[in-house]
């Protein structure tokens, strides 16, 4: 005998079965417990991965929104810097409107492909329609009427905007003013 002590017990079908105190494998309970522990670890890791994916997507959307907002503000500020008010033409002065979700002004700009000496008056309007930021542009024709300026009429500058608000300085009103406001507050 090798020192292993066998116990004889009756099996299910009446046969004698030998049990050893020293087994060479894992019991069914040990395998089940280790499987449950492994499943818990996998579930925890998948939850961490899912939450980090959500955070990554939210951060990416926020960064993209900031980039679009910065670009939109850059376009607006360049055109606002070219804004003019001609007291000789009271219609142009009254055409400057800054309130709520709309801002309209007259600017002096050069025609595409011409020298800087050949400049034209343009009426530019920024507005919010639904979740879109829209830019409309008109030029004065020879008769003094405003006509849509080529492909720049009705450009969608940004989508998925929650808010776009234009505010002039307190006390400034377009009607009767022959000056433009010192600044325009733009909130997105």
């Amino acid at each position: 005998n090798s020192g292993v002590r066998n116990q004889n017990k009756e099996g299910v079908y009446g046969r004698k079965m030998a049990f050893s105190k020293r087994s060479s494998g894992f019991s069914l309970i040990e395998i089940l417990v280790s499987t449950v522990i492994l499943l818990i670890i996998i579930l925890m890791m998948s939850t961490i991965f899912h939450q980090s994916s959500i955070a990554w997507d939210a951060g990416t959307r926020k960064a993209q929104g900031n980039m679009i907002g910065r670009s939109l503000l850059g376009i607006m500020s360049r055109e606002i810097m070219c804004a003019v008010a001609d007291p000789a033409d009271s219609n142009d002065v009254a055409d400057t409107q800054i309130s709520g979700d709309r801002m309209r002004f007259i600017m002096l700009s050069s025609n595409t492909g011409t020298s800087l000496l050949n400049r034209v008056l343009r009426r530019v309007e920024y507005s919010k329609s639904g979740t879109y930021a829209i830019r409309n542009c008109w030029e004065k024709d020879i008769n003094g009427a405003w006509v849509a300026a080529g492909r720049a009429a009705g450009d969608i500058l940004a989508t998925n905007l929650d808010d776009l608000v234009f505010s002039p300085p307190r006390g400034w009103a377009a009607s009767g003013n022959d000056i433009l406001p010192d600044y325009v507050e733009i909130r997105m």
Side-chain angles (χ1 to χ4, degrees):
N1 287 337
S2 62
V4 175
R5 190 171 151 208
N6 291 332
Q7 297 175 351
N8 292 328
K9 292 191 175 180
E10 292 252 346
V12 176
Y13 298 107
R15 287 189 260 161
K16 302 254 179 186
M17 296 174 57
F19 292 98
S20 169
K21 291 227 178 199
R22 265 202 270 164
S23 61
S24 59
F26 296 107
S27 71
L28 182 60
I29 299 288
E30 291 171 332
I31 291 174
L32 286 174
V33 168
S34 64
T35 304
V36 168
I37 291 172
L38 181 63
L39 283 174
I40 290 170
I41 291 171
I42 289 172
L43 285 174
M44 288 176 19
M45 294 303 289
S46 67
T47 302
I48 290 171
F49 177 76
H50 179 68
Q51 289 179 351
S52 64
S53 295
I54 290 171
W56 177 269
D57 290 342
T60 302
R61 280 193 308 275
K62 188 173 184 176
Q64 185 179 18
N66 287 339
M67 186 174 63
I68 290 170
R70 203 172 291 131
S71 174
L72 183 59
L73 288 174
I75 291 168
M76 288 180 188
S77 66
R78 277 192 300 276
E79 289 190 342
I80 290 171
M81 285 190 295
C82 296
V84 295
D86 184 5
D89 189 351
S90 60
N91 292 331
D92 289 350
V93 174
D95 207 27
T96 301
Q97 297 176 358
I98 304 167
S99 65
D101 63 352
R102 186 173 309 280
M103 175 175 63
R104 185 168 55 196
F105 56 92
I106 306 298
M107 66 179 268
L108 191 60
S109 67
S110 61
N111 274 337
T112 310
T114 62
S115 71
L116 289 175
L117 297 175
N118 186 12
R119 298 174 65 107
V120 295
L121 282 179
R122 286 200 174 124
R123 177 174 33 177
V124 178
E125 179 181 81
Y126 290 101
S127 62
K128 181 178 181 279
S129 176
T131 60
Y132 298 107
I134 298 174
R135 177 187 178 269
N136 289 301
C137 185
W138 301 269
E139 290 181 359
K140 266 198 172 176
D141 66 3
I142 297 172
N143 299 324
W146 292 107
V147 294
R151 68 175 192 86
D155 286 340
I156 296 176
L157 298 177
T159 59
N160 298 325
L161 280 180
D162 293 330
D163 200 16
L164 180 63
V165 179
F166 303 101
S167 304
R170 189 167 283 196
W172 182 87
S175 59
N177 277 338
D178 60 350
I179 59 170
L180 295 171
D182 292 332
Y183 64 90
V184 175
E185 182 180 336
I186 302 172
R187 285 177 284 155
M188 285 194 233

